[in-house]
Amino acid sequence: MSETNRAACSDGDEEQVSGAEVIAQALKTQDVEYMFGIVGIPVTEIAVAAQKMGIRYVGMRNEQAVDICAEELGNNVKPAVTLLGDINAVTKQLLEQFDKTPWQYPPESSWWKTLREKMKSNEAASKELASQKSLPMNYYTVFYHVQEQLPRDCFVVSEGANTMDIGRTVLQNYLPRHRLDAGTFGTMGVGLGFAIAAALLAKARNTGQRVICVEGDSAFGFSGMEVETICRYNLPIILLVVNNNGIYQGFDVDSWKEMLKFGDATTVAPPVCLLPNSHYEQVMTAFGGKGYFVQTPEELQKSLRESLADTTAPSLINIMIEPQATRKAQDFHWLTRSKV
């Protein structure tokens, strides 16, 4: 090879950049401030390049995915109108149209009257369940005492089956974009990721806002190791694990022990059962956070009050409830049954 060609190749080598650097530069030009990822090839290289560009990188322990799928439209009930597209683009188009043609549903309509009556009926049923004094607690009792102490500006993240469904009706939000859950899908494993993202935003803006992440015990199992991520970045998150020893329902300790007399757990334990009285709060303390194991309303009130007052570390409150507790009867089968 001639000296001229060698020089040209040398100059070309100096101008080369890695694919990771190209991606990082592209993200930077789009004003991306935070990047989330599972450490591994090729994420590690991209993360390092992004950090060099001034982008904050948060290393996660659990992978997430999002789909836009036309086949899901009408999965629960047949809609009058379906909208398929990117939610940002569709919402923008709807708002632009409403600006041109302002409209609201007539408040005196029979639909509104029926809805208000149903709201009052549901509220009365929830209050009755929340007022029960028996132990272990039920979902409604737990959420009633949590709601009493929730800061008005907090972010509420909710994940699970009954935990998420009941939480939506009891735990109140007063500000837009301050409730995060699985939406119309039963997606599991997203709760802690949502909480981390919300907490990073609150921390970056120095608002002092807290993130209250309410998890069922089964839901917590899907991404519970993100507790390490929470502690690593010392995020302002309070995790509430509503623990009924199972998926939908479980067994208490005595029933579990009695069941094991009839054989190995692999042959006699119902698939929905989890190990009774699991101490999930110890996952938090293992990484340096605060952990609480509570069984009564008084213990719940005290631990939540202490967690809200302590802004130096994240915390996890493991709340034991009646293993057979469930939500109030549902009037619509499509709430619990898919047509897939």
Side-chain angles (χ1 to χ4, degrees):
M1 182 182 292
S2 67
E3 292 297 326
T4 303
N5 288 339
R6 285 197 187 94
C9 289
S10 178
D11 290 342
D13 289 342
E14 291 178 2
E15 295 175 0
Q16 288 181 355
V17 295
S18 69
E21 291 172 316
V22 172
I23 293 172
Q25 182 62 56
L27 294 173
K28 186 66 176 180
T29 58
Q30 295 298 313
D31 296 325
V32 172
E33 297 181 10
Y34 286 89
M35 177 179 168
F36 299 80
I38 309 294
V39 175
I41 300 172
V43 174
T44 302
E45 291 182 45
I46 298 173
V48 171
Q51 288 177 323
K52 289 180 180 178
M53 292 286 180
I55 298 173
R56 296 172 183 264
Y57 174 76
V58 179
M60 303 292 288
R61 306 284 290 254
N62 185 51
E63 203 163 359
Q64 313 292 340
V66 176
D67 288 318
I68 298 176
C69 185
E71 289 79 4
E72 291 294 336
L73 294 172
N75 179 42
N76 286 329
V77 292
K78 184 178 179 180
V81 178
T82 58
L83 301 173
L84 176 63
D86 179 81
I87 190 169
N88 289 325
V90 172
T91 302
K92 182 180 179 182
Q93 293 167 350
L94 289 171
L95 290 174
E96 288 174 349
Q97 188 59 41
F98 281 131
D99 285 339
K100 297 176 183 176
T101 313
W103 181 86
Q104 68 176 18
Y105 204 91
E108 69 281 0
S109 66
S110 59
W111 180 82
W112 260 118
K113 181 181 178 181
T114 302
L115 186 60
R116 290 190 185 99
E117 290 173 351
K118 188 61 179 176
M119 290 167 62
K120 289 182 179 179
S121 173
N122 284 340
E123 185 177 0
S126 296
K127 283 184 176 180
E128 181 180 354
L129 289 166
S131 65
Q132 293 180 3
K133 304 297 183 182
S134 59
L135 294 176
M137 297 179 284
N138 64 50
Y139 287 99
Y140 294 87
T141 302
V142 168
F143 290 141
Y144 171 78
H145 290 292
V146 171
Q147 175 59 36
E148 279 190 321
Q149 295 192 50
L150 282 188
R152 193 176 179 87
D153 64 346
C154 73
F155 293 92
V156 176
V157 179
S158 187
E159 180 180 24
N162 290 334
T163 300
M164 182 178 72
D165 296 338
I166 299 171
R168 284 173 175 165
T169 66
V170 180
L171 301 178
Q172 300 300 305
N173 284 94
Y174 303 97
L175 299 173
R177 300 180 180 179
H178 279 59
R179 180 187 293 277
L180 301 167
D181 62 31
T184 57
F185 298 96
T187 309
M188 303 290 272
V190 300
L192 272 70
F194 284 169
I196 289 168
L200 283 166
L201 179 66
K203 193 172 182 178
R205 292 180 175 177
N206 198 29
T207 60
Q209 290 172 284
R210 307 302 291 275
V211 178
I212 312 299
C213 183
V214 187
E215 298 276 310
D217 51 336
S218 172
F220 179 72
F222 279 78
S223 55
M225 286 305 293
E226 296 296 358
V227 166
E228 186 274 333
T229 307
I230 293 170
C231 290
R232 191 191 330 149
Y233 297 106
N234 195 29
L235 298 175
I237 296 174
I238 298 174
L239 280 163
L240 306 179
V241 178
V242 184
N243 189 349
N244 69 343
N245 299 335
I247 306 167
Y248 289 108
Q249 295 177 325
F251 285 161
D252 59 30
V253 174
D254 292 337
S255 299
W256 178 265
K257 289 180 179 178
E258 188 67 24
M259 176 193 68
L260 292 181
K261 293 179 181 179
F262 296 92
D264 187 80
T266 57
T267 61
V268 299
V272 296
C273 287
L274 299 175
L275 195 64
N277 289 14
S278 294
H279 283 265
Y280 299 112
E281 77 282 356
Q282 294 182 5
V283 179
M284 178 64 82
T285 58
F287 295 112
K290 302 289 182 66
Y292 302 87
F293 182 82
V294 306
Q295 297 176 291
T296 68
E298 293 75 21
E299 291 173 346
L300 172 58
Q301 291 170 330
K302 182 176 182 292
S303 59
L304 183 55
R305 186 163 52 249
E306 291 178 1
S307 297
L308 288 168
D310 184 0
T311 59
T312 63
S315 60
L316 188 155
I317 304 174
N318 186 11
I319 308 166
M320 299 308 303
I321 67 168
E322 166 58 49
Q324 298 297 309
T326 185
R327 58 183 176 179
K328 64 182 182 62
Q330 303 298 299
D331 294 332
F332 306 102
H333 68 83
W334 51 263
L335 288 174
T336 52
R337 190 183 74 189
S338 171
K339 294 193 295 185
V340 173

